[in-house]
Amino acid sequence: MFISIMKYEDFIHMSVPGDGACFFHSLAQILTLEGDPIPEGQTMKLTEKNRNTLAKKLRKECVDWLENNLDYEIAQIGMTIRDEIEEAIRYCNDTGCGNYKTVKEYLTYMRKNKAYAGQIEIYAMSYYLGRSIRVFIRDRGKFKSSGLGFMIGLKQDPMDDIHIYHNIGESSGNNEHHFEPLYPKVKAKKEIKKKKESKKSVSKATRSKATRSKATRSKATRSKATRSKATR
């Protein structure tokens, strides 16, 4: 596990529903921010609907990946995906945390919208997206590695790594294991600057096109006037 401590103020800490799909909601929120910006004036209801749709899509892709890669060995721990799931099954049989007794039953359970994701699903989404997923807890005003998460490479990359907060140890009850998205402020600032420059570029190109169009129309008008004069 990669040990890391990050400053809380270096991140934008967002909230997502604690409905059992919080891990996928968190990924969906981050991927949405990285993609096309939320349209100005879009209602919160529509924004949440789009995020929920993406979260469901990510869950399906996650479980599909697990199902298709059961014998894939995670080099860092020397265990296959199947080994990890079977270990989770044994643990849940002992503690009563799940109603599955086989790998197939586990995968069927994970397809349910309210099924909680954990380290196995982090492996899957990290491999599927080709990106490190780093999970943090809060410790005395800072973010510290939680014990969950998976690093694809050996180096941190704040512009590419996915950062997620986990509230384990901070609350109890139904939201005892809740994930929330974290977005590096340095990344947000660079993306805002890039979008502003892109907007300026588009605006400049539009003005240039309008100028060329106006010049073309003016030239055509002069040419028509010249032909008309010659005819007379």
Side-chain angles (χ1 to χ4, degrees), residues 2-6 134 136 143-145 156:
F2 191 91
I3 304 298
S4 179
I5 296 177
M6 311 286 281
R134 304 172 62 197
F136 298 90
F143 282 130
K144 182 179 179 181
S145 298
Q156 302 177 51

Side-chain angles (χ1 to χ4, degrees), residues 8 22 57 73 82 211:
Y8 181 80
C22 53
K57 182 174 180 286
E73 183 177 293
R82 189 188 305 275
T211 300

Side-chain angles (χ1 to χ4, degrees), residues 24 59-71 81-82 84-86 88-89 99-113 115-116 120-121 124:
F24 298 105
R59 180 187 286 278
K60 181 183 182 302
E61 289 169 344
C62 174
V63 182
D64 285 349
W65 189 93
L66 289 172
E67 195 168 43
N68 294 327
N69 292 275
L70 289 173
D71 296 318
I81 294 297
R82 189 188 305 275
E84 282 283 293
I85 293 175
E86 289 175 344
I89 291 169
N99 296 317
Y100 37 78
K101 297 184 181 300
T102 66
V103 171
K104 184 177 180 179
E105 288 178 356
Y106 176 88
L107 295 173
T108 298
Y109 167 77
M110 279 309 305
R111 290 190 185 279
K112 296 179 180 179
N113 289 332
Y116 283 94
I120 294 170
E121 290 68 43

